[in-house]
Amino acid sequence: MHYRNINCQTANLHFISEFPARLVTTTTSSSTPETTTKILSTKIEWYTSTTAQPKIKTTSTVTMKQPMTTTTVNISSPPESRLQIYGSSEIIQELIEPLTIKCLYKTLIQGERDTSALQSLYLLHETNGVIAYINKQQPVIATIQGDNFKNVEGEIFDNESKDSYLQVTWNDLKRSESGKYFCEAYVNHSDGRFDKMNEMLTIIVKSPTFDDLVKVIQKLQRQAEVDKETVRENQHKIKTIQEDLDTKQQDIISLKEDMNTTKQDIMSIKEDLDTKSQNILSIRENFDTNKHNMIIFQDNLTMTVANLSAALMEVENSGKVFTFYIISLYSLCEAYILN
C-alpha cells in the first residue's frame, strides 16, 4: 500500500546584505513495506527590494532515505552587492600607521544591462559623521579638516567601463577614530525608484605596544640611513650641477666677448660700406658732369663742322684760300677753348 503527504511552509529571511528573501519549503513523504523515503525541497527567492519581483531564484534540496543515511545539501549565497568598502587595514596602530578607506561602486558584468544611475557616494563615521562625499559631475568634497587628514579623491563615471569610487587617506590616527565606517550610495532607477545602499567597515585604532615602537624606531633608523644616503647623492649631484653651471658661465662670458668682437667687426664693415657708398656717389656725380661736358662738346663739334662746311663753300666760291685757312684756324681754336 502506498501513501503520499505534502506539507508546505513559508518563512521570511533577512540577511546582513539587506537583500530580503522568501523561503519556501516542501516536504514529500512516501513509504512502501520495504522502505520509507522523505524528500525535503527548499526554494530561496532573493529580492532586490520588498516591492520588486524576485531577481534571483536558487533551489536547495535535502534528500533523506531510510533505512540508508544519505544527505545532499546545496545552498547558494545572496547576490554580491555592487557597493563595496575597503580599508588598507582593519587594525591600525595609533599615530603610526596611515589609513586609506575606499568606497567602490562596481560596474555590471559585461553583457548585463544597467537600468540604474549612481548619483552620490558618501563616507561616514558612526560618531564623527560625514567625512567626504561626491555628487555626479561635481568634484569630491571633504567635510573634515585636520593635521592628520592627507588626501581625498573620487569620481563618478557615466560609462559602464569604470568603477565609480570615493577614497580618503589619513595619517597619525587617534583611538577616537576607531569604530564603524559606512559607505552610502544613492542610486536612481529607470522606473523612477530611488535607492540608498549601505556597506560597513569596522576599523580598530589601538595603542602600539613596546615591540611595535621598537619596530617603528628600527624602521625609522633604516629610513634615516636611506635618507642620509639620498642626501649625499643629492649633494654630489648639486656639486656636479654647480660645476656644470660654472663651466657654462665661462662659456657664456667667452661667447659674449666673441659677440662684442664680432659687433666691432660689423661696425668696421659698416663704416667701410659707408665710405664706399660715398665714393660711389662721387663717381656718379663725376660721371654725370663728364656726360654733360661730352654733350656740350658734341654740340660744339657739330657747330664747328657746320661752320667749316660753310667756309669751304665760301672758299670755293671766292677762291680765297688764305681767308679759308684763317677762318678754319679760328674755329678750331674757339672749339678748343670752349672744351
Side-chain angles (χ1 to χ4, degrees), residues 82-84 103-107 114 116-118 121 162-166 183 185 187 189 197:
R82 293 180 63 180
L83 182 64
Q84 298 177 9
C103 292
L104 193 67
Y105 187 79
K106 297 182 67 66
T107 60
D114 194 357
S116 62
L118 178 64
L121 278 175
K162 293 183 179 180
D163 297 334
S164 300
Y165 73 98
L166 174 62
C183 181
V187 181
H189 295 274
M197 304 171 65

PDB file of all heavy atoms in Angstrom, residues 82-84 103-107 114 116-118 121 162-166 183 185 187 189 197:
ATOM      1  N   ARG A  82      26.796  45.661  -5.470  1.00  0.00           N
ATOM      2  CA  ARG A  82      27.666  46.466  -6.327  1.00  0.00           C
ATOM      3  C   ARG A  82      28.452  47.481  -5.514  1.00  0.00           C
ATOM      4  O   ARG A  82      29.479  47.984  -5.969  1.00  0.00           O
ATOM      5  CB  ARG A  82      26.834  47.186  -7.387  1.00  0.00           C
ATOM      6  CG  ARG A  82      26.194  46.256  -8.397  1.00  0.00           C
ATOM      7  CD  ARG A  82      25.382  47.023  -9.415  1.00  0.00           C
ATOM      8  NE  ARG A  82      26.213  47.909 -10.199  1.00  0.00           N
ATOM      9  CZ  ARG A  82      25.737  48.703 -11.164  1.00  0.00           C
ATOM     10  NH1 ARG A  82      24.441  48.710 -11.427  1.00  0.00           N
ATOM     11  NH2 ARG A  82      26.551  49.485 -11.845  1.00  0.00           N
ATOM     12  N   LEU A  83      27.970  47.806  -4.315  1.00  0.00           N
ATOM     13  CA  LEU A  83      28.650  48.753  -3.441  1.00  0.00           C
ATOM     14  C   LEU A  83      29.581  47.993  -2.501  1.00  0.00           C
ATOM     15  O   LEU A  83      29.160  47.066  -1.814  1.00  0.00           O
ATOM     16  CB  LEU A  83      27.634  49.558  -2.640  1.00  0.00           C
ATOM     17  CG  LEU A  83      28.210  50.618  -1.703  1.00  0.00           C
ATOM     18  CD1 LEU A  83      28.927  51.701  -2.496  1.00  0.00           C
ATOM     19  CD2 LEU A  83      27.118  51.224  -0.839  1.00  0.00           C
ATOM     20  N   GLN A  84      30.838  48.398  -2.472  1.00  0.00           N
ATOM     21  CA  GLN A  84      31.827  47.734  -1.627  1.00  0.00           C
ATOM     22  C   GLN A  84      32.673  48.787  -0.923  1.00  0.00           C
ATOM     23  O   GLN A  84      32.844  49.896  -1.425  1.00  0.00           O
ATOM     24  CB  GLN A  84      32.720  46.811  -2.461  1.00  0.00           C
ATOM     25  CG  GLN A  84      31.953  45.683  -3.144  1.00  0.00           C
ATOM     26  CD  GLN A  84      32.832  44.818  -4.011  1.00  0.00           C
ATOM     27  OE1 GLN A  84      34.052  44.945  -3.992  1.00  0.00           O
ATOM     28  NE2 GLN A  84      32.225  43.921  -4.771  1.00  0.00           N
ATOM     29  N   CYS A 103      35.451  53.622  -0.999  1.00  0.00           N
ATOM     30  CA  CYS A 103      34.107  53.193  -1.386  1.00  0.00           C
ATOM     31  C   CYS A 103      34.108  52.943  -2.890  1.00  0.00           C
ATOM     32  O   CYS A 103      34.548  53.796  -3.663  1.00  0.00           O
ATOM     33  CB  CYS A 103      33.075  54.261  -1.049  1.00  0.00           C
ATOM     34  SG  CYS A 103      32.827  54.498   0.715  1.00  0.00           S
ATOM     35  N   LEU A 104      33.573  51.795  -3.281  1.00  0.00           N
ATOM     36  CA  LEU A 104      33.614  51.408  -4.693  1.00  0.00           C
ATOM     37  C   LEU A 104      32.224  50.992  -5.144  1.00  0.00           C
ATOM     38  O   LEU A 104      31.574  50.161  -4.507  1.00  0.00           O
ATOM     39  CB  LEU A 104      34.599  50.254  -4.882  1.00  0.00           C
ATOM     40  CG  LEU A 104      35.011  49.926  -6.313  1.00  0.00           C
ATOM     41  CD1 LEU A 104      35.830  51.065  -6.895  1.00  0.00           C
ATOM     42  CD2 LEU A 104      35.822  48.639  -6.351  1.00  0.00           C
ATOM     43  N   TYR A 105      31.762  51.609  -6.235  1.00  0.00           N
ATOM     44  CA  TYR A 105      30.500  51.211  -6.859  1.00  0.00           C
ATOM     45  C   TYR A 105      30.857  50.549  -8.178  1.00  0.00           C
ATOM     46  O   TYR A 105      31.237  51.198  -9.143  1.00  0.00           O
ATOM     47  CB  TYR A 105      29.596  52.426  -7.080  1.00  0.00           C
ATOM     48  CG  TYR A 105      28.207  52.068  -7.561  1.00  0.00           C
ATOM     49  CD1 TYR A 105      27.241  51.615  -6.670  1.00  0.00           C
ATOM     50  CD2 TYR A 105      27.868  52.182  -8.902  1.00  0.00           C
ATOM     51  CE1 TYR A 105      25.970  51.286  -7.106  1.00  0.00           C
ATOM     52  CE2 TYR A 105      26.598  51.856  -9.346  1.00  0.00           C
ATOM     53  CZ  TYR A 105      25.650  51.406  -8.444  1.00  0.00           C
ATOM     54  OH  TYR A 105      24.390  51.077  -8.882  1.00  0.00           O
ATOM     55  N   LYS A 106      30.735  49.216  -8.213  1.00  0.00           N
ATOM     56  CA  LYS A 106      31.258  48.437  -9.326  1.00  0.00           C
ATOM     57  C   LYS A 106      30.316  48.465 -10.520  1.00  0.00           C
ATOM     58  O   LYS A 106      29.100  48.606 -10.387  1.00  0.00           O
ATOM     59  CB  LYS A 106      31.502  46.984  -8.890  1.00  0.00           C
ATOM     60  CG  LYS A 106      32.550  46.844  -7.796  1.00  0.00           C
ATOM     61  CD  LYS A 106      32.789  45.401  -7.430  1.00  0.00           C
ATOM     62  CE  LYS A 106      33.438  44.634  -8.561  1.00  0.00           C
ATOM     63  NZ  LYS A 106      34.799  45.125  -8.837  1.00  0.00           N
ATOM     64  N   THR A 107      30.916  48.319 -11.702  1.00  0.00           N
ATOM     65  CA  THR A 107      30.134  48.207 -12.927  1.00  0.00           C
ATOM     66  C   THR A 107      29.534  46.808 -13.017  1.00  0.00           C
ATOM     67  O   THR A 107      29.948  45.882 -12.316  1.00  0.00           O
ATOM     68  CB  THR A 107      31.018  48.461 -14.157  1.00  0.00           C
ATOM     69  OG1 THR A 107      32.074  47.482 -14.169  1.00  0.00           O
ATOM     70  CG2 THR A 107      31.625  49.846 -14.104  1.00  0.00           C
ATOM     71  N   ASP A 114      22.428  47.878 -17.511  1.00  0.00           N
ATOM     72  CA  ASP A 114      22.330  48.697 -16.306  1.00  0.00           C
ATOM     73  C   ASP A 114      21.122  49.624 -16.425  1.00  0.00           C
ATOM     74  O   ASP A 114      21.045  50.450 -17.329  1.00  0.00           O
ATOM     75  CB  ASP A 114      23.607  49.514 -16.124  1.00  0.00           C
ATOM     76  CG  ASP A 114      23.696  50.107 -14.727  1.00  0.00           C
ATOM     77  OD1 ASP A 114      22.746  49.916 -13.950  1.00  0.00           O
ATOM     78  OD2 ASP A 114      24.716  50.742 -14.422  1.00  0.00           O
ATOM     79  N   SER A 116      20.156  51.518 -13.760  1.00  0.00           N
ATOM     80  CA  SER A 116      20.268  52.460 -12.650  1.00  0.00           C
ATOM     81  C   SER A 116      21.407  53.433 -12.919  1.00  0.00           C
ATOM     82  O   SER A 116      22.279  53.175 -13.745  1.00  0.00           O
ATOM     83  CB  SER A 116      20.516  51.718 -11.333  1.00  0.00           C
ATOM     84  OG  SER A 116      21.734  51.002 -11.399  1.00  0.00           O
ATOM     85  N   ALA A 117      21.383  54.555 -12.191  1.00  0.00           N
ATOM     86  CA  ALA A 117      22.422  55.578 -12.345  1.00  0.00           C
ATOM     87  C   ALA A 117      22.844  56.055 -10.963  1.00  0.00           C
ATOM     88  O   ALA A 117      22.010  56.504 -10.171  1.00  0.00           O
ATOM     89  CB  ALA A 117      21.912  56.745 -13.185  1.00  0.00           C
ATOM     90  N   LEU A 118      24.138  55.943 -10.679  1.00  0.00           N
ATOM     91  CA  LEU A 118      24.672  56.397  -9.396  1.00  0.00           C
ATOM     92  C   LEU A 118      24.683  57.921  -9.356  1.00  0.00           C
ATOM     93  O   LEU A 118      25.178  58.577 -10.273  1.00  0.00           O
ATOM     94  CB  LEU A 118      26.086  55.848  -9.201  1.00  0.00           C
ATOM     95  CG  LEU A 118      26.810  56.280  -7.925  1.00  0.00           C
ATOM     96  CD1 LEU A 118      26.093  55.754  -6.699  1.00  0.00           C
ATOM     97  CD2 LEU A 118      28.258  55.797  -7.952  1.00  0.00           C
ATOM     98  N   LEU A 121      28.041  59.396  -3.653  1.00  0.00           N
ATOM     99  CA  LEU A 121      28.745  58.478  -2.764  1.00  0.00           C
ATOM    100  C   LEU A 121      29.134  59.242  -1.502  1.00  0.00           C
ATOM    101  O   LEU A 121      29.645  60.367  -1.585  1.00  0.00           O
ATOM    102  CB  LEU A 121      30.002  57.914  -3.432  1.00  0.00           C
ATOM    103  CG  LEU A 121      29.840  56.735  -4.390  1.00  0.00           C
ATOM    104  CD1 LEU A 121      31.171  56.406  -5.047  1.00  0.00           C
ATOM    105  CD2 LEU A 121      29.296  55.512  -3.668  1.00  0.00           C
ATOM    106  N   LYS A 162      34.121  51.782 -16.142  1.00  0.00           N
ATOM    107  CA  LYS A 162      34.936  52.133 -14.984  1.00  0.00           C
ATOM    108  C   LYS A 162      34.088  52.112 -13.721  1.00  0.00           C
ATOM    109  O   LYS A 162      32.915  52.476 -13.743  1.00  0.00           O
ATOM    110  CB  LYS A 162      35.563  53.522 -15.160  1.00  0.00           C
ATOM    111  CG  LYS A 162      36.595  53.605 -16.270  1.00  0.00           C
ATOM    112  CD  LYS A 162      37.216  54.992 -16.315  1.00  0.00           C
ATOM    113  CE  LYS A 162      38.275  55.088 -17.398  1.00  0.00           C
ATOM    114  NZ  LYS A 162      38.891  56.441 -17.446  1.00  0.00           N
ATOM    115  N   ASP A 163      34.728  51.708 -12.614  1.00  0.00           N
ATOM    116  CA  ASP A 163      34.061  51.711 -11.316  1.00  0.00           C
ATOM    117  C   ASP A 163      34.120  53.114 -10.713  1.00  0.00           C
ATOM    118  O   ASP A 163      35.183  53.737 -10.670  1.00  0.00           O
ATOM    119  CB  ASP A 163      34.735  50.721 -10.364  1.00  0.00           C
ATOM    120  CG  ASP A 163      34.624  49.281 -10.860  1.00  0.00           C
ATOM    121  OD1 ASP A 163      33.672  48.996 -11.594  1.00  0.00           O
ATOM    122  OD2 ASP A 163      35.490  48.464 -10.501  1.00  0.00           O
ATOM    123  N   SER A 164      32.991  53.601 -10.225  1.00  0.00           N
ATOM    124  CA  SER A 164      32.978  54.872  -9.500  1.00  0.00           C
ATOM    125  C   SER A 164      33.535  54.645  -8.097  1.00  0.00           C
ATOM    126  O   SER A 164      33.385  53.562  -7.526  1.00  0.00           O
ATOM    127  CB  SER A 164      31.559  55.423  -9.430  1.00  0.00           C
ATOM    128  OG  SER A 164      31.039  55.643 -10.727  1.00  0.00           O
ATOM    129  N   TYR A 165      34.175  55.701  -7.533  1.00  0.00           N
ATOM    130  CA  TYR A 165      34.824  55.484  -6.239  1.00  0.00           C
ATOM    131  C   TYR A 165      34.930  56.784  -5.456  1.00  0.00           C
ATOM    132  O   TYR A 165      34.814  57.882  -5.995  1.00  0.00           O
ATOM    133  CB  TYR A 165      36.217  54.890  -6.432  1.00  0.00           C
ATOM    134  CG  TYR A 165      37.240  55.871  -6.956  1.00  0.00           C
ATOM    135  CD1 TYR A 165      38.131  56.513  -6.099  1.00  0.00           C
ATOM    136  CD2 TYR A 165      37.305  56.181  -8.313  1.00  0.00           C
ATOM    137  CE1 TYR A 165      39.060  57.420  -6.569  1.00  0.00           C
ATOM    138  CE2 TYR A 165      38.228  57.084  -8.797  1.00  0.00           C
ATOM    139  CZ  TYR A 165      39.108  57.696  -7.924  1.00  0.00           C
ATOM    140  OH  TYR A 165      40.025  58.606  -8.389  1.00  0.00           O
ATOM    141  N   LEU A 166      35.166  56.620  -4.148  1.00  0.00           N
ATOM    142  CA  LEU A 166      35.459  57.715  -3.225  1.00  0.00           C
ATOM    143  C   LEU A 166      36.507  57.189  -2.252  1.00  0.00           C
ATOM    144  O   LEU A 166      36.295  56.158  -1.613  1.00  0.00           O
ATOM    145  CB  LEU A 166      34.200  58.155  -2.482  1.00  0.00           C
ATOM    146  CG  LEU A 166      34.383  59.206  -1.383  1.00  0.00           C
ATOM    147  CD1 LEU A 166      34.915  60.506  -1.963  1.00  0.00           C
ATOM    148  CD2 LEU A 166      33.074  59.448  -0.650  1.00  0.00           C
ATOM    149  N   CYS A 183      29.767  53.318   3.976  1.00  0.00           N
ATOM    150  CA  CYS A 183      29.753  53.815   2.602  1.00  0.00           C
ATOM    151  C   CYS A 183      28.306  53.803   2.123  1.00  0.00           C
ATOM    152  O   CYS A 183      27.639  52.762   2.173  1.00  0.00           O
ATOM    153  CB  CYS A 183      30.632  52.940   1.710  1.00  0.00           C
ATOM    154  SG  CYS A 183      30.701  53.502  -0.001  1.00  0.00           S
ATOM    155  N   ALA A 185      25.553  54.824  -1.001  1.00  0.00           N
ATOM    156  CA  ALA A 185      25.390  55.135  -2.425  1.00  0.00           C
ATOM    157  C   ALA A 185      23.924  55.445  -2.688  1.00  0.00           C
ATOM    158  O   ALA A 185      23.033  54.713  -2.236  1.00  0.00           O
ATOM    159  CB  ALA A 185      25.854  53.970  -3.288  1.00  0.00           C
ATOM    160  N   VAL A 187      21.153  55.859  -5.607  1.00  0.00           N
ATOM    161  CA  VAL A 187      21.004  55.369  -6.978  1.00  0.00           C
ATOM    162  C   VAL A 187      19.601  55.672  -7.476  1.00  0.00           C
ATOM    163  O   VAL A 187      18.610  55.444  -6.763  1.00  0.00           O
ATOM    164  CB  VAL A 187      21.271  53.848  -7.050  1.00  0.00           C
ATOM    165  CG1 VAL A 187      21.130  53.348  -8.477  1.00  0.00           C
ATOM    166  CG2 VAL A 187      22.653  53.529  -6.504  1.00  0.00           C
ATOM    167  N   HIS A 189      16.807  54.698 -10.414  1.00  0.00           N
ATOM    168  CA  HIS A 189      16.472  53.637 -11.357  1.00  0.00           C
ATOM    169  C   HIS A 189      15.653  54.201 -12.510  1.00  0.00           C
ATOM    170  O   HIS A 189      15.016  55.260 -12.390  1.00  0.00           O
ATOM    171  CB  HIS A 189      15.699  52.518 -10.652  1.00  0.00           C
ATOM    172  CG  HIS A 189      16.514  51.801  -9.619  1.00  0.00           C
ATOM    173  ND1 HIS A 189      17.340  50.747  -9.913  1.00  0.00           N
ATOM    174  CD2 HIS A 189      16.637  52.021  -8.276  1.00  0.00           C
ATOM    175  CE1 HIS A 189      17.932  50.327  -8.804  1.00  0.00           C
ATOM    176  NE2 HIS A 189      17.527  51.082  -7.793  1.00  0.00           N
ATOM    177  N   MET A 197      21.999  52.550  -0.776  1.00  0.00           N
ATOM    178  CA  MET A 197      22.725  51.327  -0.466  1.00  0.00           C
ATOM    179  C   MET A 197      23.770  51.629   0.601  1.00  0.00           C
ATOM    180  O   MET A 197      24.359  52.717   0.619  1.00  0.00           O
ATOM    181  CB  MET A 197      23.390  50.768  -1.729  1.00  0.00           C
ATOM    182  CG  MET A 197      22.421  50.526  -2.872  1.00  0.00           C
ATOM    183  SD  MET A 197      23.252  50.106  -4.429  1.00  0.00           S
ATOM    184  CE  MET A 197      23.997  48.548  -3.984  1.00  0.00           C
TER     185      MET A 197
END
